[in-house]
Amino acid sequence: MTFPPPHACRIDVAAGTMAGATGTYQKRLADLVGLYADAAAFAARAEKEGTRVVYDVADFRPSGAPGDLIFGVTRMSPGSIGDEFFMTRGHIHAQTDRPEVYYGQKGLGLMQLESPEGETRILEIGAQTICYVPPYWIHRSINIGDEDLVMMFTYPADAGQDYGIIEQSQGMRHRVMRDGKGGWHLVENRDYRPRAPEKIAALLQAAQ
Ligand code: NI
C-alpha cells in the first residue's frame, strides 16, 4: 500500500501566510456587500477601496476523505465599516456535525458562534489561544484589534461550508460593534429572522 505522504507547513506569523499551501483565496471589500449594518458607509468605502483585501486564507487539503483533515492559516486586516468590525462572511459546515479548531497566532479577535436555535456565544482569541467550534454552530471570526488577526485552523476534510445559512436569516442574531470606549459590544440585529423549527430539524439531519 502507498500511504499518504506526511507534510509540515511553516507559518509566517508576521505575514499571516503558510508555506506549502495547496490553495489560497482572498476576500476583497467589494465581496462583502450585504454583510454590514451601515449600507451607506459600506458603499462609500467600497467605491474607494473595493479591491482592498480584507481577509485571505491559505490551506492544505490532503484529500476530501472522511476522517482526513484540512488545515491552514487565515489573516484578517483590522478595521470597521461604521462601528462594525471587519469579519468573515461566516458559515455552518455543510456536514453540520463537523467541528473545527482555531489557534490564535497574532492579533486580537472574536469567534462569534450562533446555534441553529439562535443562541449567541463569543470566544476571544489572542495569540496562543485554542478555540473549539463545536458541531452544529454557525461561526464567523472578527478582528477587534488594531493589527492583523492571524489564526491557524483545522477541520474535517468532508465538512464543507454552507454560506447561505447566514443570508437566509438576514445576518447573525447579533452584530459586534465598537462600544466607543476602545472595546466591543453586542448589538441585536434588527433584520434577523429566527430559523423555523423545520429548518433547525433539517440542520440536525444534515449530519451524516
Ligand atoms: Ni468552519
Side-chain angles (χ1 to χ4, degrees), residues 91-93 99-100 102 133 139 155 159-161:
H91 59 259
I92 192 168
H93 293 154
E100 185 157 2
Y102 286 81
V133 176
H139 47 286
Y155 57 89
Q161 284 98 5

Side-chain angles (χ1 to χ4, degrees), residues 12-27:
D12 181 333
V13 174
T17 56
M18 183 181 79
T22 57
T24 58
Y25 70 86
Q26 299 178 320
K27 286 287 179 200

Side-chain angles (χ1 to χ4, degrees), residues 92-123:
I92 192 168
H93 293 154
Q95 303 279 358
T96 53
D97 66 346
R98 303 305 198 255
E100 185 157 2
V101 163
Y102 286 81
Y103 180 34
Q105 303 285 303
K106 184 177 103 162
L108 185 61
L110 301 178
M111 189 64 63
Q112 179 178 2
L113 301 110
E114 180 177 305
S115 76
E117 295 176 346
E119 178 185 357
T120 296
R121 294 285 186 97
I122 302 289
L123 300 175

Side-chain angles (χ1 to χ4, degrees), residues 101-109 111 123-132 149-152:
V101 163
Y102 286 81
Y103 180 34
Q105 303 285 303
K106 184 177 103 162
L108 185 61
M111 189 64 63
L123 300 175
E124 193 168 291
I125 305 180
Q128 314 303 319
T129 307
I130 296 177
C131 167
Y132 172 59
L149 173 65
V150 178
M151 298 184 291
M152 176 269 174

